[in-house]
Amino acid sequence: MTVQTVKILSELVNTPVEKLLAQMKDAGLPHKSENQEVSDVEKQTLLNFLKRQHGEAGSGSERITLQRKKTSTLSRSDGGKVVNVAVKKKRTYVKRTDTDEELQKQQEFLQRQAEEQARLAAEEQARIEAERQLEAEKAAKAQAEAEEKARKEAAEAAAKEAAEREAVAKSEQNDTEQNVSGIGAAEPVEAPKQPKTAKKTSQAAAMDSKKPNAAPKSKKSANRQDSEKPRGRHPENKRSRVNINGDEEFSRRGKLGRKGKKPVQKQEHGFQKPTAPIIHEVALPESITVAELAEKMSIKAAEVIKVLFKMGAMATINQTIDRDTATLVVEEMGHTVKYIDENAVENDMIDAIDYDGEAIKRAPVVTVMGHVDHGKTSLLDYIRTTRVAAGESGGITQHIGAYHVETPHGMVSFLDTPGHAAFTSMRARGAQATDIVILVCAADDGVMPQTIEAIQHARAAEVPIVVAITKVDKENADIDRVKNELVAQEVVPEEWGGDVQFVGVSAKSGEGIEELLEAVLLQAEVLELTAVPSAPAKGVVVEARLDRGRGSVATLLVQNGTLRKGDIVLAGLQMGRVRALLDERGTAIESAGPSIPVEILGLDGTPEAGEEFIVVADERKAREVANFRQGKYREIRFARQHSAKLENLFSEMGKDEVRTLNVVLKADVRGSLEALIKSLTDLNTDEVKVNVVSSGVGGITETDATLALASDAVIFGFNVRADSSAKQFIERESIDLRYYSVIYNIIDDVKSALSGMLSPDLREDIKGTAEVRDIFRSPKFGLIAGCMVIEGTVYRSKQIRVLRDDVVIYEGELESLRRFKDAVNEVSKGMECGIGVKNYTDVKVGDKIEVFETVEVARTL
């Protein structure tokens, strides 16, 4: 008897070892490993089990199974839909040697299969009958509606016809009464009796012929009656005649009018003037034009303009007014006001989004804030093992950078904000979008203005602070001084009884980095930050820019849910479908969860930094909300501009003309553009100001150059350049174009330009003073004052003042300056001279003559 192992047997039968062991276990064999031996008896047992499993007995009996499919059709009696019904039949044939139990099981299986097929056919037939009944009900309903409509139309037609008959009868009756009264009042002209009798006879015959039961007349009698009619026109027979029964009868001419036309019926309109004024309920949005307001009150726009004029407001028909002004107008006109919420569409869309789900722990979002050049970006560089600060222009951060870092203690998302004073709004946005603030303060520099501002932003956003004292490896580092200065700002360290963690770090040596991360994650555990990854994404726009090759690129921070490629995003005034997702390294990803910063492509514009974004399901509603927001923003902007013009109209009267520096400003990202506009407008004074004619994100185009030429403006490009067509236009028209990469430089240049536009100050410089010692009279020059120069130098070409008891009594010019008999241009201190004062003869001994000149001094901002 040969003995083989399970592994050898599996190679012989070309079956995996695991599958063979499973089959042996099902056959009841005790084998569990590939090294166990298998005897011939166990092989036969396994073979019989496999044959039974495939329908074979140990003696070689066979089982044959036939499957047949029969297709039949069920049609409706009314010729409607035809349904194909497929019935599958399965028959299994076995030899007589099979046991009765197996045959019984097969019969039960076939019976169950047949019952299932019958049940399906019955359900299909019931569905067809239900559809047939539903269509029959619809047809009956449509027929009933058609009959009802026809009945109503017939009733309306009958009523209309009756009204017309009644109007005709009234008109005929009125005409008859007028004719009868005319006949009775006037004496008829006598006529022969025979024609009159014939006339009455013919009238009676005509009336009888009009009756429905009248017998038809013969042709002879008709001709005879016609021959009996008088040839002339009787004065009484103008429009109508009266028969012997007193009934009214119109002739063809009188009944149909001239030329056979029907008489025109008198039609009266059904409108009645209202007896009381109609009071409308006027629905007022946030802003409305004069024309729309007049339409809501059903009056002319001129009436609204008249009321506004009486209220002291000048307005045109297309001008937009605010809700308060419109309320006063509506109440003045006697109507009632109803305020409507213009954000109903937006609120309904947001309320329909389901943010429910299982909340899980999420990573903290940390913002690094502090004074410029205190080491914020260098600290992040060490954590991320990159070098971002070296790539920044001027070595300072001018954008909000967003990164997420996998640390040994967990994932942390960082926002790096600029420290320059111009980026106040960017720091405020960073504090609002974050969970924890790392306040960076240099150990060798201490608390600075932007450090205090960062503390204020963190407190306004109610965000906990972790203080990182940088540059502790420097020789002049003084950590205790920094702590004392921060305590003065109410930032108290834990070791001094406060609630703020202080960590000393060095971005060069890496000292204290691990302790800082542990402090941040410990603060995050206290906050218990959670998010729902299964919900639609929502968050905040960190930054946005316009890329020439890729279009609008927005940096988003996902705060809740998961943002996926293909989602429809609504961000402020812009919307679009996400065409690509990129992480901070520029790598394409498919989704981004909570606390992950990501760049997206696909928005139809660059949204404002700091705007909230949400993911919506309906693209049509998202576009509707975006268009509504754009229209609302445009109306508010126009209303604000018009209000500012009216407010400044009278305040500017009587003042000197304000000199303006027009600027066309283009920047690389929204945050820098916002900071630049604020910094430039802060330079405005009462005499000079900066007017930003146009601003935007992206390169300088020919449109910008054309606008600069038309408005006599200077073009400033911040980290952007002009394209080829714009360069040619700028060179041809000699437009002033300047490029900048550091915000300090652009502010300094604009400040210098505005200083040059300021009018100079006039300052008086006293050159010398002479004291009058004696008075002489000259026949040629008149009164001459003999003087001694006691201070400085007296010049002949300068202006003078005459002082008596140190009070100015005269201001004028020197007419002559002589020393002895010679005319000189100047006389120095300690010398005597003769001074002739032009057009002044009241000089006395003891007076002082002061010589001065006026000097222009340039002003600066």
Side-chain angles (χ1 to χ4, degrees), residues 153-212:
E153 292 178 352
E156 292 175 356
K160 184 176 181 181
E161 185 178 357
E164 291 178 354
R165 286 200 302 270
E166 184 178 357
V168 171
K170 287 182 179 180
S171 176
E172 293 175 354
Q173 184 176 358
N174 294 335
D175 292 342
T176 303
E177 291 176 355
Q178 293 175 2
N179 292 330
V180 169
S181 60
I183 294 172
E187 291 293 334
V189 180
E190 291 184 1
K193 293 182 179 180
Q194 185 63 29
K196 189 173 183 179
T197 305
K199 178 179 176 181
K200 290 183 178 180
T201 305
S202 64
Q203 290 178 2
M207 291 297 294
D208 292 338
S209 66
K210 291 181 180 180
K211 294 181 180 180

Side-chain angles (χ1 to χ4, degrees), residues 220-235:
K220 291 182 179 181
S221 60
N223 293 334
R224 187 171 59 253
Q225 289 177 2
D226 293 338
S227 62
E228 292 176 356
K229 291 181 181 180
R231 296 291 182 183
R233 167 177 279 185
H234 197 275

Side-chain angles (χ1 to χ4, degrees), residues 290 294 299-309 317 333:
V290 174
I299 59 176
K300 294 182 178 180
E303 299 294 329
V304 178
I305 295 175
K306 189 184 298 182
V307 173
L308 286 170
F309 183 76
I317 188 171
M333 303 293 290

Side-chain angles (χ1 to χ4, degrees), residues 761-834:
D761 286 337
L762 299 178
R763 188 177 66 189
E764 294 180 354
D765 188 10
I766 299 176
K767 296 298 184 179
T769 304
E771 184 179 0
V772 179
R773 299 289 177 89
D774 200 353
I775 302 296
F776 305 96
R777 291 193 180 272
S778 171
K780 182 177 181 182
F781 298 104
L783 186 65
I784 301 297
C787 304
M788 173 68 75
V789 180
I790 59 176
E791 289 182 6
T793 303
V794 176
Y795 296 89
R796 187 176 62 178
S797 58
K798 307 296 183 186
Q799 292 178 316
I800 66 167
R801 288 193 183 98
V802 178
L803 285 74
R804 184 172 298 165
D805 298 331
D806 295 328
V807 177
V808 178
I809 61 173
Y810 176 76
E811 185 173 338
E813 298 178 0
L814 281 178
E815 187 174 13
S816 66
L817 178 64
R818 289 177 178 269
R819 180 164 172 75
F820 301 106
K821 293 183 178 181
D822 299 328
V824 295
N825 291 326
E826 60 185 40
V827 178
S828 301
K829 178 181 178 181
M831 295 183 179
E832 295 180 348
C833 62

Side-chain angles (χ1 to χ4, degrees), residues 489-511:
Q489 301 297 327
E490 298 181 359
V491 179
V492 184
E494 290 181 340
E495 57 267 23
W496 290 8
D499 57 352
V500 179
Q501 301 180 73
F502 278 60
V503 182
V505 297
S506 173
K508 289 187 176 181
S509 63
E511 177 185 352

